[in-house]
Amino acid sequence: EIYRLKPGVRPAPDRRTIVLQPLGLFNAEQQKVLEAMKAYAEVFFQLPARIEKPLDLPLKDAEADAKISRLVPIGNRHADINRQYDSEKLLDVLLAPRLPQDAVAYLGITVQDLYAGDMNYVFGLGHFKKRVGVYSLVRYFPEFWGKKRKAGDDTTALLRACKVLNHETGHMFGLTHCIFYKCSMNGSNSLVETDAAPVDFCPVCHRKLQWNIGFDPVKRYQALGAFYTQYGMKDEAKWIAQRIERWN
């Protein structure tokens, strides 16, 4: 029972693409992260991916926008952000009605801050059955916290983005929070916990994902190693090299 997957989505011959949907405008730096996330989705899940044309967020209709967002209490505000978007409503109002036919997963990516239910914020949310998810990148950059940019911050932001992408999309593919090892599927309630978690899945979650999607593990590890090397993630590339050696 403890190893059983929740009912999640599975790729099909006519439904294999991970579709990234920008929500709102991205600056040049954020656009680079988005494009890297697309490449990462392809190698991590061994499925094709593409980026759609952006959708408006905030919505042009101020009244409609107010129905899917809230003002942030003054004591909880960071930088110049005074509004958060309801991640569950974004799934239902913006994403689910636009779900592409060929999408095994339709993922909204935004630089707006998100919340869900009674939580002050969330990094992302993925639905187990509806094939939609939404993720925010805004808290991954130092400017959100009122800090100056320093060397390595770009790589850190991308690493965090990769973690939220594989974690929430992992939920969509049927994985629950991992309790066995340090794993990207561990639950996370803060940026500190996100940074402490590895970017890759543990052996148990890796096997679940392999069962669902049906990829070649060594081919996947090699592609991940190339990605980590390309984007300057030296520790992650070293870990992957060790995995390939042990697998062989």
Side-chain angles (χ1 to χ4, degrees):
E1 288 292 331
I2 202 166
Y3 288 95
R4 182 176 294 175
L5 292 170
K6 277 186 172 290
V9 300
R10 298 196 75 179
D14 59 346
R15 198 179 69 195
R16 295 182 54 81
T17 304
I18 295 176
V19 180
L20 275 58
Q21 176 62 72
L23 302 177
L25 297 177
F26 287 62
N27 63 30
E29 179 188 23
Q30 295 160 350
Q31 184 66 31
K32 288 181 180 179
V33 172
L34 179 65
E35 292 168 358
M37 290 177 73
K38 180 254 185 186
Y40 183 71
E42 289 182 324
V43 298
F44 192 91
F45 295 104
Q46 292 293 286
L47 294 168
R50 72 170 183 269
I51 300 173
E52 293 280 48
K53 294 181 179 179
L55 297 175
D56 289 330
L57 196 72
L59 302 180
K60 292 182 179 179
D61 184 332
E63 184 176 344
D65 191 74
K67 291 180 179 179
I68 63 171
S69 63
R70 70 180 183 186
L71 285 173
V72 181
I74 293 177
N76 292 335
R77 292 181 185 178
H78 296 273
D80 58 350
I81 296 175
N82 60 8
R83 184 166 290 276
Q84 290 179 308
Y85 283 83
D86 186 328
S87 55
E88 294 172 333
K89 290 181 179 178
L90 290 180
L91 296 183
D92 293 336
V93 175
L94 282 188
L95 297 175
R98 294 177 171 85
L99 180 65
Q101 289 187 348
D102 66 335
V104 66
Y106 185 39
L107 313 177
I109 313 292
T110 185
V111 290
Q112 300 288 341
D113 203 25
L114 303 178
Y115 76 97
D118 60 355
M119 290 183 281
N120 290 335
Y121 69 90
V122 293
F123 296 118
L125 187 68
H127 199 284
F128 273 109
K129 296 183 180 180
K130 294 183 179 180
R131 298 177 13 232
V132 291
V134 63
Y135 320 131
S136 171
L137 308 182
V138 69
R139 290 176 179 258
Y140 297 156
F141 294 95
E143 290 82 0
F144 179 88
W145 306 100
K147 298 179 179 179
K148 293 183 179 180
R149 185 65 62 93
K150 62 181 186 298
D153 281 346
D154 291 350
T155 301
T156 298
L158 176 57
L159 186 60
R160 291 166 171 171
C162 291
K163 289 179 183 181
V164 74
L165 175 68
N166 68 34
H167 180 102
E168 299 298 344
T169 310
H171 283 321
M172 297 170 70
F173 281 117
L175 279 72
T176 56
H177 282 155
C178 181
I179 59 172
F180 299 102
Y181 301 95
K182 291 190 69 174
C183 173
S184 193
M185 288 307 300
N186 295 151
S188 176
N189 293 313
S190 70
L191 201 55
V192 172
E193 291 182 349
T194 297
D195 288 341
V199 70
D200 287 290
F201 285 2
C202 73
V204 175
C205 293
H206 174 267
R207 185 65 183 91
K208 290 177 180 179
L209 190 67
Q210 183 193 9
W211 173 86
N212 190 331
I213 297 176
F215 51 71
D216 179 329
V218 174
K219 177 183 176 183
R220 175 177 175 271
Y221 280 141
Q222 289 171 338
L224 279 170
F227 177 91
Y228 295 143
T229 299
Q230 177 182 352
Y231 287 96
M233 301 178 184
K234 297 180 181 179
D235 291 341
E236 289 70 27
K238 181 179 179 180
W239 186 88
I240 285 292
Q242 292 172 342
R243 291 298 304 158
I244 293 173
E245 180 181 355
R246 292 171 183 173
W247 192 280
N248 289 333

